[in-house]
Structure formats: C-alpha cells, structure tokens
Amino acid sequence: GRIIDPSSLGIFRFLFGLLLCVELLLFFNKDYLSYYYLKSNIHFTYPIFNLLQLDLLPKPFLGISYYFMWLYAFGIMLGLLTRLSFIVFTLSFGYLFFMESALYTNHYYLIFLISFLMCFGHSGHSFSLDSLFYRVKKRDIYYWELFLLRFQICLVFFYGGIAKLNMDWILQNTPVYFNVLENLSLSGYPFEEKWMAIIFSSSGLILDLGLGIYLFINSWTRLNFVFLYLFNVLNILFFWGSIHTFPYLMVFSYILFLEPSMIKNLLNRFKRPNERVKKHQTQGTKTTVIPPKTAWVVGFVFIYTTFQVIIPLRHWFYVRHLRWTKEGSHFSWRMMADFHQARLTMYVENPQTKEVSIHHPSVLINHKQLKMAYTPRMLYQYVQFLKQQLMQEGFDNPIIKAHTKVSLNGRP
C-alpha cells in the first residue's frame, strides 16, 4: 500500500524507450530481420508457440511487425499513448523473440520482461507527452510497480552469479577465458592472457552476486552505483559486439533504486520559481492516487515473482545435465556461464537403395542456428524439418542420423 511519486518510472521509461530505438536501429534492424527471419528456411520456435497454437506469420507481415516495433518504441520513449505503445511493442517484440530460439540472448529476454511489466504500470503519468497532450494528471502510484522492476533487475544479477558457482568458473576460469577469446572487442596482450581470465572470473562472480544482493537491500546507494557503473563499463569496453545495449540498460536501471522522493526533489530544483510557489501553496491538499485493485495486484505480483524465481531452477527436474545440453539454460540468466564447442555430422540414408550420404546443415540454416549441434531440442526440430524436405524431394521415409561431439569449457 505504499504510495510513491512516479517521476523515476517516467524517466526510466524515457531511457528504456531511447535504448529500444538504438537497439532497433543498430542491431535488431532490417538487415538482421531479413537475414535471420525472412531468409531462414526453418525457425526453431519455443514450445509456447505450439502451446498457444500460434502460426508463423507470412514473411511480408514479419517486415511490418518490425516497423510496428520501431513506431511504438518511439512512442515509449516520448510517453505518447504510453500503455498502447508498451502493449503493441511487447506483442510484436515477443512474437519475434519466441519465434526463433537460436537468437536467444539474455538482454532480449530482459527487454521483453521490462516492456511486459510496464504494460501494467503508469509510467506515462510523468515525463511524457501524454501528460501534455491528453491532460494525464501526474498522480502518485503504488510501490508494486517499482518493486517488480527492481525485483527483476536484482534477479538478473543474482542468478547470473549463482550460475558461475562451479569449479570451471572459480578454479579453472575456462568459461571466461574462451568467451574472452571469442567475444572480446579488444585483442592482444594482456587481454588474451590466462591471468586476465582469473581477474575477469573473480570480479564477474563477486559483482554479479554482490549487485544482486546489494541492489535488493538497497541501503548503500552510492556504493551500488559505483559497482553497477564499473561492472557495466567493463562489459561495454570488452564485450560491446556481443551484448549490444544490455550494459546501458543496466546502468539506466539504477534510477529505479533511488528513492522516488529524491528524484522528485531533484526535479523540483529545475522548476521555475512561480511553479515552486504554487507547489508550496498546494502541499497541504490531499494527494490524488491511482485507485488500488488489491486482489489482482497481489495475485499478479505473487504469480510473476514466483515464476521468475522458479523458471531459472527448472533444470533440476530434467534428466540430462544442463551445462552439457543447455536444456533449461534459456530464461535462466546464465550469462557467459559456460562455453560450448561442437562438431556435428549428419547422415541421410535412403531405405530403398541403402545409399548413405553426408548432409551439411549449413546449406539450409544460418550460423546462429548451427548451435543446434549442442542443443537436443533444436536438433530434433531440425531433423523433423529435414525429413519433410527430403520427402518432398522424393525420399520415402528417409533415415536421418546425427553424430555430435560437444566440448564444455575445453573438456571433451
């Protein structure tokens, strides 16, 4: 039931929308959409597609969905038709995100979750065009809107740290070493040395776990900012090419952990003197608050937080080992926790002629989708797709075999 000023949510909405525009312009752009979606022969969809009985949109409509994302990301930034902008963007982005699991990244998942949460909030009541054009009054809001965003950011860091609590990360430092060699924006001495991997491993583990805990406690505001800023500046410096706008989003999220009253007082300093006088005269009046709907709010907060805590732990119920098969790694915030290499050889046998030929998947799929070599679910999807393709070419019930060798953090 705590009531807070909405200014911090409004400012975060603006910064979040700005990052969405940058992401769609530089990374998730038309070339990206064309190569990975429009030109793909197969899409490795998530099970939710089958669960919801969703069909793949025709390719022209996929192009249209991109422009919808752009338009409404701009609306999010400006706070124009804010709730509608969040809803349309979440649906458009979410559709493309869940349509292709080969393109999964943690920061795209986080973008989806934040935009989903803000569909239910009132960030358009502050720092927005809605407040100017549609006379949306700046009303105080309930703390749950801010709490869910804080909770989600803390969970990213906390589970990111938990995923690193293994011997490969702590003693061998191999995940960091191989990820540095593959993704590092800088090269040469000293970044490719083993002792640098030790520094990256220990600092990454401490900062991930520390930020997840410190931000949740939220008692050391300045210390939190130093850790958050340092951690993400290093990420920008070393891994810009692979993590895009993710570190900027985490730095901008710091405003969510400042006390809303602090943001309100800071903004009041920039108001004109006559506005301050007017505010002082109305301080004794009753504050207008968003009317509560306690039942659905409590239910929504409980269900969302429960799911976000449980989903990263679902691999406990799987038979096969998460770190080898990556089953359960998506939606679990396992950021650079392991490094995989794989060699896949596929054979196609014609049961009538007994003729066996080697099949090269790279002929039909792009380099991102080749990660199916160490992902059983994706490999099964590809085999079913290949079977249909061969049957259309005249093969009668072809026999397809896949031999894959996987290396985890340098181990065979």
Side-chain angles (χ1 to χ4, degrees), residues 123-155:
S123 61
H125 288 185
S126 175
F127 213 68
S128 67
L129 291 182
D130 282 349
S131 61
L132 297 177
F133 294 161
Y134 300 102
R135 302 294 181 181
V136 175
K137 295 181 179 179
K138 180 180 177 181
R139 300 183 292 181
D140 288 344
I141 59 176
Y142 281 89
Y143 175 68
W144 69 267
E145 296 183 30
L146 184 61
F147 167 77
L148 283 180
L149 292 172
R150 287 181 174 181
F151 170 82
Q152 187 60 71
I153 298 298
C154 291
L155 214 63

Side-chain angles (χ1 to χ4, degrees), residues 14-114:
F14 169 80
L15 296 173
F16 180 63
L18 176 63
L19 282 182
L20 293 181
C21 292
V22 172
E23 184 74 40
L24 294 175
L25 179 65
L26 298 182
F27 303 107
F28 204 107
N29 50 29
K30 289 188 294 184
D31 293 334
Y32 182 95
L33 185 77
S34 174
Y35 182 74
Y36 291 115
Y37 286 92
L38 302 184
K39 295 181 180 179
S40 292
N41 296 304
I42 176 179
H43 293 292
F44 295 93
T45 58
Y46 283 105
I48 192 173
F49 253 69
N50 299 327
L51 181 65
L52 299 179
Q53 297 183 341
L54 298 175
D55 295 323
L56 297 179
L57 289 175
K59 292 184 177 180
F61 287 96
L62 289 178
I64 294 174
S65 67
Y66 170 79
Y67 291 103
F68 267 101
M69 284 196 300
W70 233 111
L71 177 64
Y72 286 98
F74 198 64
I76 290 171
M77 181 182 70
L78 298 179
L80 182 62
L81 299 174
T82 308
R83 193 182 299 277
L84 176 63
S85 294
F86 270 116
I87 291 173
V88 176
F89 176 84
T90 303
L91 291 175
S92 302
F93 185 82
Y95 182 88
L96 293 175
F97 175 77
F98 289 105
M99 176 181 172
E100 183 54 83
S101 62
L103 301 176
Y104 174 87
T105 62
N106 287 293
H107 74 277
Y108 282 160
Y109 179 44
L110 182 60
I111 285 174
F112 171 77
L113 291 178
I114 289 177

Side-chain angles (χ1 to χ4, degrees), residues 136-407:
V136 175
K137 295 181 179 179
K138 180 180 177 181
R139 300 183 292 181
D140 288 344
I141 59 176
Y142 281 89
Y143 175 68
W144 69 267
E145 296 183 30
L146 184 61
F147 167 77
L148 283 180
L149 292 172
R150 287 181 174 181
F151 170 82
Q152 187 60 71
I153 298 298
C154 291
L155 214 63
V156 172
F157 286 116
F158 182 72
Y159 274 127
I162 292 295
K164 297 175 176 63
L165 293 176
N166 58 73
M167 293 300 102
D168 284 348
W169 188 280
I170 297 173
L171 297 182
Q172 302 298 326
N173 314 117
T174 48
V176 171
Y177 181 69
F178 288 118
N179 273 304
V180 163
L181 292 181
E182 183 174 86
N183 300 306
L184 193 65
S185 302
L186 305 173
S187 59
Y189 184 85
F191 302 106
E192 295 179 359
E193 297 298 314
K194 185 69 175 180
W195 58 267
M196 282 297 292
I198 297 175
I199 294 176
F200 286 149
S201 293
S202 55
S203 60
L205 175 60
I206 293 171
L207 288 174
D208 266 336
L209 277 177
L211 282 170
I213 297 171
Y214 289 157
L215 287 174
F216 189 79
I217 297 174
N218 203 27
S219 296
W220 307 285
T221 306
R222 294 181 181 179
L223 184 62
N224 287 345
F225 177 74
V226 171
F227 282 158
L228 189 66
Y229 183 79
L230 176 63
F231 183 56
N232 287 286
V233 165
L234 291 175
N235 281 335
I236 293 170
L237 179 63
F238 296 135
F239 303 110
W240 162 252
S242 59
I243 57 177
H244 303 173
T245 57
F246 180 72
Y248 293 97
L249 174 58
M250 302 312 282
V251 170
F252 288 164
S253 69
Y254 174 73
I255 196 170
L256 298 172
F257 294 89
L258 296 176
E259 278 300 314
S261 57
M262 181 189 302
I263 302 295
K264 182 178 180 180
N265 294 334
L266 182 62
L267 292 176
N268 286 337
R269 295 181 182 180
F270 295 94
K271 291 184 177 181
R272 293 190 297 270
N274 59 336
E275 291 180 336
R276 295 182 190 176
V277 172
K278 183 177 179 180
K279 178 182 178 298
H280 180 74
Q281 292 174 345
T282 58
Q283 277 183 344
T285 61
K286 187 177 180 180
T287 304
T288 305
V289 184
I290 302 294
K293 298 178 181 178
T294 306
W296 85 261
V297 168
V298 172
F300 175 69
V301 171
F302 176 77
I303 292 173
Y304 183 85
T305 54
T306 301
F307 267 81
Q308 288 302 316
V309 169
I310 292 176
I311 288 175
L313 305 177
R314 68 191 186 281
H315 64 274
W316 289 353
F317 302 97
Y318 295 167
V319 175
R320 290 175 289 211
H321 200 286
L322 159 72
R323 298 178 63 203
W324 281 100
T325 66
K326 292 184 73 70
E327 291 177 303
S329 62
H330 288 190
F331 319 116
S332 301
W333 312 115
R334 298 182 60 83
M335 295 168 288
M336 296 189 178
D338 291 304
F339 182 81
H340 293 81
Q341 291 175 307
R343 180 180 299 171
L344 173 66
T345 307
M346 300 192 71
Y347 302 93
V348 176
E349 179 181 341
N350 189 325
Q352 280 74 40
T353 64
K354 303 300 180 181
E355 181 182 356
V356 178
S357 60
I358 297 178
H359 170 70
H360 300 282
S362 57
V363 175
L364 294 176
I365 60 178
N366 58 60
H367 69 284
K368 292 281 190 180
Q369 294 173 326
L370 286 174
K371 65 177 62 174
M372 69 175 186
Y374 51 82
T375 311
R377 177 184 58 82
M378 292 175 61
L379 186 57
Y380 174 80
Q381 285 181 290
Y382 182 76
V383 169
Q384 299 305 310
F385 162 77
L386 179 59
K387 180 179 179 180
Q388 295 298 321
Q389 292 288 109
L390 294 173
M391 291 179 67
Q392 291 176 9
E393 295 175 6
F395 281 76
D396 185 15
N397 197 26
I399 299 172
I400 303 172
K401 297 179 181 180
H403 292 217
T404 181
K405 294 182 179 180
V406 179
S407 171

